[in-house]
Amino acid sequence: MRIELEKRAKISTLFSILSPFIAFLLMIVFGGIMFALLGKNPVTALYSFFVEPLSEVWSLHELAIKAAPLILIAVGLSVCFRSNNWNIGAEGQFIMGAIAGSILPVVFYDWQSPLVLPLMMLMGMLGGALFAAIPAFLKAHMNTNEILTSLMLVYVAQLFLDWLVRGPWRNPGGMNFPETRTFAANAILPEMIASGRTHWGFAFAIIAAILVWFMMRYTLKGFEISVLGQSERAGRFAGFSSRRMIWFSMLLSGALAGLAGISEVSGAIQQLRPVISPGYGFTAIIVAFLGRLNPLGIIAAGLVLALTYLGGEAAQLSLGVSDKVTRVFQGLLLFFVLSCDTLIHYRIRLVWYRFTASDLDGSR
Amino acid sequence: MPVEGATANSPLLTVSNLTKLFGSFAACNDINLQIDQGEIHALLGENGAGKSTLVKMLFGVLAPTAGEIVWQGRNVRIASPAAARKLGIGMVFQHFSLFEALTVAENIALSMDSNISLAKVAEEASRLSHAYGLPLDPKAHVADLSVGERQRIEIVRALLQNPRLIILDEPTSVLTPQEADRLFETLNKLKAEGRSVLYISHRLEEVQRICDRATVLRHGKVTGACDPRAETPASLARMMVGSDVAAVTAEGTSTKGDVQLEARHLSVSARTPFAVSLKNICLKVRAGEVLAIAGVAGNGQGELFDALSGEYPVADDAAVQIRQKPVGTRNINARRLMGAGFVPEERHGHAAVSAMPLSDNLVLARSRSDAKAFLGGGFLNIIRRDAVAAATKRISEAMDVRKSGEDPPAGSLSGGNLQKFIVGRELDRQPAVLVVNQPTWGVDAGAASRIRQALVDLAKAGSAVLVISQDLDEIFEVATEIAVISEGRLSDPYPARELSREKIGLLMGGMYGKTEGTGAVHAH
């Protein structure tokens, strides 16, 4: 017997919709097997991982808080990935955005003005974009692989933040803890709804998703992005510049990652610490692909991946398993999403093959 | 036309009811074919007719879905190319698989199944190559060889297996007329030895010249089996495309106008190690004129197109002139705005994005030149889908583009229909200057004739048309002037009526006409 992948005459619409759901289902199945191997009842474990966090109002707010940065970053990444620019360094751009946006509340903490918050957001976007400009410059002008440079710059950003909060930006009144001073009230992103902690970062994420969706769907810029992503040569024929597209997509995704960073710090943490992200910048890559690189799909995918963070925390408490379980689920999901995409382009056939006399004749 | 019955001597290969399905699509549908000992059998068909699929099944690359292959009276299943070679079937592919850094002998040795010493391979290869009139130096590096010589390696490689049947896939598409003549001599030698040849082509003239019988495929089915010598090119073409192919009429070309496209001492150094540099190219195309540039592939045609279209602008602004204005440093859209249109050689991934629908592929070429019609919403540049859809429909109707559905992906169209759309996309603008690279490469006869007629008509209507082509039949059909490109140098232009195929063949080989006294024919 052998398995044959047979190319479909046309891309299957059915499977391009079903594929993320099949992937999610497979993740549940294999996650259940993993829990069983850990000696936990898979049903109760999965329940506490995926259902319990959705059962209370406060945890729904937590879901939105966690989904906001994932969606914001993934929307930017979708533009990068669609244009064939592989920005893997959103985590670093997130951190640099958070640092740049925190200059006002940390260094100029006694400046009180309604301008503080909008300026923080702008500086956050600028910080993320400038940090993304490094791999953009290297790719556009030195032909350097952006996957490597953007990824390596993540560690630069992480260590820079670590140095800042232990050194120059450490809170003078903070008992020597590696933290900056907590932000003043006018530097904190307010809550959106009275019922809980969800801050305006979630609104930014939804607005960004809709704007980018509009750009991709209706405008010449969106068309340019798709064309250059599918064929650089055809893009050149159309008069589009792939070099300018490197800059555009990297700066856009850097700015959105930076906005996510400063929103997270200003809205949820309210100070800088050595670690401000549980890997949002990397998880957003999964979000982008699970959402089929479509900004509206990314909103849904962002909520799903946010759930894995909450589930990990819940599982840690109620089951006593390591929160690394979150990473395992995220990894399973990405793996299955990418492999289920095969179904869109191919049909799988099992071929039963028997030897016959004529085979032997033929090979003699 | 009915399939002919078996001839007196027993057939070498009989294929009955062979079918290959890809999903629900039948690439080959119920194919019957018979090849006798010692015949050159043509497999004719337009692009996408199923020729390659059929041959791949015979060579063990694809497994048939249904049907039988009978080889020398025995029913066989050919599981792999190695099995095919053991049976005595050899194949020379259209695209060669050679290592450029290795010598001829090393390349041949790599394909041999058993461990024979390199010296022995070299000896055997040179013996065979001389016996069949395919001169080859076993010690030469492949990188230094011409395309024709590389093809000889592939043929010798196939011959070393002592095959009964040799399959050749579009062998002359890369050869000069002289090289093709040489190949035909070799084929006749093989035939005289009692070997059979399955010759895949869409060039009717060649098939008539060398083939004893022909099987014609259309849409995966056999539409005819015949003696090509008893047919006319028109009747063969009819079997291939299913309808009469209109002859291109180039008569009555209008008087020439002003120079609309000009290259002045255009030199471009090679962008990559594999590219050809352009050396001091001068050309002029006047309104009402079709200048055709002949040449064997890989002699700078692509580079010339890039420089003329502005996909890769050149340093010297004056080196390229459109409507008597220097544009050398301007990009492709600036040149389009001055009234120029461009059709590149490669359809997929250059002239069109395969996965995108036709309407998007219309926007691809005309987003700037037709911004007024196709874009709205001010600085947002929103694509006006209704206007684009109407223009797509107009072009499809004007060029008779056959497609499944209203706006299918470009990749789902056959080569001919997509090319008609790509050419129609430019004609729809009535360009004053049109530069086309290989206008009918890999296109079926019906579409090719339509495209050529459109080019001739455009010139008649007062545009300047530059056609870069490897196809001499095409060049003689459309051109008023002909120049030849070889190793990045362009010959002087000659009036099409005064130029013979032999002369073009010599120019292709780099023999420039400047010293032969005909250089001053064209008054530039």
Side-chain angles (χ1 to χ4, degrees), chain B residues 326-373:
Chain B
V327 294
T329 57
R330 318 279 307 268
N331 68 17
I332 186 166
N333 275 332
R335 298 184 195 192
R336 284 185 176 123
L337 285 170
M338 297 176 72
F342 305 99
V343 178
E345 173 181 7
E346 182 59 47
R347 285 184 282 280
H348 297 287
H350 189 174
V353 181
S354 315
M356 287 188 163
L358 287 184
S359 59
D360 279 359
N361 277 300
L362 174 60
V363 178
L364 186 78
R366 291 172 52 177
S367 67
R368 284 279 175 263
S369 57
D370 293 61
K372 278 203 189 95

Side-chain angles (χ1 to χ4, degrees), chain A residues 103-123:
Chain A
I103 293 173
L104 286 184
V106 174
V107 182
F108 305 99
Y109 53 90
D110 44 8
W111 183 45
Q112 304 286 325
S113 158
L115 280 178
V116 168
L117 207 50
L119 274 178
M120 281 168 64
M121 297 300 138
L122 281 179
M123 289 167 71

Side-chain angles (χ1 to χ4, degrees), chain B residues 489-501:
Chain B
R489 289 194 180 81
L490 192 68
S491 76
D492 289 335
Y494 300 91
R497 266 176 244 112
E498 296 173 17
L499 208 55
S500 66
R501 278 167 196 265

Side-chain angles (χ1 to χ4, degrees), chain B residues 176-197:
Chain B
T176 61
Q178 283 85 352
E179 285 176 317
D181 285 343
R182 208 157 196 170
L183 173 69
F184 298 153
E185 282 170 29
T186 305
L187 296 185
N188 279 323
K189 270 192 188 138
L190 292 171
K191 176 182 157 186
E193 290 180 346
R195 299 181 204 274
S196 306
V197 175

Side-chain angles (χ1 to χ4, degrees), chain A residues 69-81 85-93 146-147 150-151 154-155 253 257 279-294 297-298 301-302 305 309 327 330-331 333-335 337-338 341:
Chain A
L70 291 176
I71 295 169
L72 258 180
I73 300 169
V75 163
L77 290 183
S78 74
V79 171
C80 271
F81 295 167
N85 289 301
W86 300 95
N87 177 9
I88 308 297
E91 180 82 1
Q93 293 138 27
E146 76 280 16
I147 298 178
S150 63
L151 178 63
V154 171
Y155 308 111
S253 68
Y280 287 137
F282 295 116
T283 306
I285 297 171
I286 308 176
V287 173
F289 279 104
L290 187 65
R292 312 229 63 100
L293 302 181
N294 175 336
I298 283 170
L305 266 297
Y309 278 118
R327 288 250 159 252
Q330 291 178 353
L333 192 56
L334 179 64
F335 177 81
V337 165
L338 295 181
D341 279 0

Side-chain angles (χ1 to χ4, degrees), chain B residues 61-75:
Chain B
V61 179
L62 288 173
T65 313
E68 283 184 346
I69 300 173
V70 176
W71 175 257
Q72 295 180 317
R74 284 186 310 174
N75 196 343

Side-chain angles (χ1 to χ4, degrees), chain B residues 47-102:
Chain B
N47 257 44
K51 292 173 302 196
S52 299
T53 308
L54 173 59
V55 172
K56 279 180 184 163
M57 288 191 283
L58 296 180
F59 198 57
V61 179
L62 288 173
T65 313
E68 283 184 346
I69 300 173
V70 176
W71 175 257
Q72 295 180 317
R74 284 186 310 174
N75 196 343
V76 292
R77 185 200 292 264
I78 303 168
S80 68
R85 277 196 287 264
K86 268 186 191 149
L87 285 176
I89 301 176
M91 170 128 191
V92 176
F93 287 96
Q94 194 176 0
H95 302 285
F96 310 143
S97 45
L98 298 169
F99 292 96
E100 296 212 340
L102 299 183

